[in-house]
Amino acid sequence: MFAYIIKRLLLMIPTLFGVLLITFVVIQFVPGGPVEQLIHQIKGQGQGGEASSGATQIYRGDRGLDKERIERLKALYGFDKPAPERFWEMVKNFAVFDLGESYFHHMSVTQLVISKLPVSISLGVWTFFIVYLTCIPLGIAKAVRDGSAFDVISSTVILVGYAIPGFVLGILLLVLFGGGSFWDVFPLRGLVSDNWATLPWHARITDYLWHMVLPVTASVVGSFAVMTMLTKNSFIEEIRKQYVLTARAKGLSENTVLYKHVFRNAMIPLITGFPAAFIGAFFTGSLLIETIFSLDGLGLLSYESVLKRDYPVVLGTLYLYTLLGLVAKLLSDLSYVLVDPRIQFESVS
């Protein structure tokens, strides 16, 4: 097991390197980089304008931009160096988790990501727990009552929810319950109210949960179908196996057969996906949901970084997400051994 873990950890290095290399090469051919955007901004501001806090001394009135000033702009963003040198410097910094500084936010990428985490964690963690705590019992109930009216009706409801895009449901919820054309029940935007800091602790919790109802509902409804049907099909497959018939023939109660014998085997495909889903919940970002409910999270950050060509944010977050994804995949594989001791990674060559 230890040798397998070491091997997987070592394989993460070329994987991360390859992802960063491909992305960096693609970026070199994308038009409208940060230097070009800043030049366009400077030219369009007129006399006395300021482009950014780091470049105000470069622009002087409306005298235009000569070659020297353009070179100074390139040096400001580090584009005066050859691409291989910039890539190698980036890799060395990423190796010590120095993700660089945003071109437009004027703060480190790490601090920027941390500042956006409350929104993403709120959406992701609540969605994660609601989906798992709802879909697993529902899937078991559907498997036990396979073909019944309960099974048919519940399948129809969750499939309809799966067919409705999250952003469409979010708009519908705002119109119905956000003071649109019907009821003014839930707040329209934000993670908390403007006066949240002045509220007592119990009112803060209530205010936060009240703001989370609509965005979490819009995020979670579409996730019910996959997890519920996966749970149901996994339990049905185990229920039809010979060992279940043998256990019933021995006179064991249905609950004992279901929760002592079937449950552990049926939960293997669900539990093994738990680590990746749990880690991903902390970094969930949905651009449309965040935009609809005016939530400034990682989804909106990623979108704006691509539009603005904020390459440190794009590459830094890509590196972070890829690393977390690889670790989550390793934890998922290791969870197989914990759930099913018959699996031995030592035999893998």
Side-chain angles (χ1 to χ4, degrees):
M1 174 66 71
F2 181 75
Y4 175 79
I5 294 176
I6 295 299
K7 184 187 299 184
R8 287 291 299 271
L9 291 175
L10 292 176
L11 285 174
M12 291 182 185
I13 298 175
T15 303
L16 285 169
F17 185 85
V19 170
L20 290 175
L21 177 61
I22 294 174
T23 307
F24 185 85
V25 171
V26 171
I27 282 177
Q28 305 309 306
F29 297 97
V30 175
V35 175
E36 288 80 3
Q37 290 197 12
L38 184 56
I39 292 174
H40 178 74
Q41 181 181 357
I42 292 174
K43 288 182 176 180
Q45 283 182 336
Q47 187 171 0
E50 292 185 355
S52 66
S53 63
T56 54
Q57 61 180 359
I58 298 175
Y59 176 62
R60 300 175 181 175
D62 58 353
R63 293 163 51 187
L65 291 176
D66 54 24
K67 184 177 181 180
E68 179 183 355
R69 290 195 179 89
I70 293 177
E71 292 300 324
R72 291 170 63 185
L73 284 176
K74 291 182 179 180
L76 177 66
Y77 291 122
F79 286 94
D80 56 328
K81 302 175 183 178
E85 182 179 347
R86 286 187 281 115
F87 176 75
W88 179 243
E89 184 177 347
M90 180 192 71
V91 170
K92 290 191 296 184
N93 291 334
F94 282 7
V96 294
F97 292 97
D98 179 7
L99 303 183
E101 183 173 335
S102 170
Y103 292 154
F104 298 94
H105 295 276
H106 304 294
M107 59 188 300
S108 70
V109 176
T110 303
Q111 293 176 340
L112 191 58
V113 171
I114 292 175
S115 68
K116 308 296 183 182
L117 277 181
V119 170
S120 299
I121 291 177
S122 296
L123 288 175
V125 172
W126 282 115
T127 300
F128 170 82
F129 282 110
I130 291 174
V131 168
Y132 267 83
L133 294 177
T134 302
C135 293
I136 291 178
L138 179 60
I140 295 174
K142 287 172 61 63
V144 174
R145 301 171 177 82
D146 184 37
S148 65
F150 168 79
D151 181 37
V152 174
I153 294 174
S154 59
S155 295
T156 302
V157 172
I158 63 174
L159 289 176
V160 169
Y162 180 74
I164 300 176
F167 71 94
V168 174
L169 180 60
I171 295 174
L172 178 63
L173 291 174
L174 283 179
V175 172
L176 291 177
F177 303 107
S181 302
F182 296 90
W183 302 282
D184 187 5
V185 180
F186 297 101
L188 284 173
R189 57 178 60 86
L191 196 62
V192 292
S193 300
D194 295 335
N195 63 336
W196 184 81
T198 63
L199 299 175
W201 67 269
H202 56 87
R204 292 184 185 184
I205 296 175
T206 303
D207 182 77
Y208 165 75
L209 294 176
W210 208 239
H211 279 76
M212 282 289 98
V213 171
L214 295 186
V216 169
T217 301
S219 300
V220 79
V221 169
S223 304
F224 280 147
V226 175
M227 184 62 66
T228 301
M229 301 309 294
L230 178 61
T231 303
K232 174 191 173 183
N233 294 334
S234 181
F235 269 81
I236 288 178
E237 182 181 358
E238 292 297 324
I239 289 173
R240 293 173 178 173
K241 290 184 177 179
Q242 186 64 41
Y243 75 88
V244 176
L245 298 177
T246 303
R248 287 171 174 169
K250 290 181 178 180
L252 297 179
S253 65
E254 192 64 25
N255 285 337
T256 301
V257 173
L258 184 63
Y259 292 104
K260 186 176 181 180
H261 296 278
V262 175
F263 187 82
R264 182 173 183 177
N265 294 326
M267 289 297 292
I268 289 178
L270 302 177
I271 294 178
T272 52
F274 186 92
F278 184 74
I279 293 177
F282 289 89
F283 295 91
T284 298
S286 175
L287 170 63
L288 295 175
I289 297 296
E290 291 177 9
T291 302
I292 291 171
F293 294 98
S294 300
L295 301 173
D296 188 11
L298 292 175
L300 191 59
L301 173 65
S302 301
Y303 176 71
E304 291 178 346
S305 299
V306 173
L307 288 184
K308 295 180 178 179
R309 307 296 192 266
D310 198 347
Y311 295 148
V313 177
V314 174
L315 291 167
T317 54
L318 175 67
Y319 171 77
L320 182 62
Y321 297 158
T322 304
L323 179 61
L324 290 173
L326 292 173
V327 172
K329 180 61 177 176
L330 174 60
L331 294 177
S332 296
D333 292 343
L334 295 179
S335 64
Y336 274 104
V337 179
L338 299 177
V339 177
D340 190 352
R342 296 171 296 178
I343 299 176
Q344 298 293 330
F345 286 121
E346 283 79 1
S347 60
V348 180
S349 57

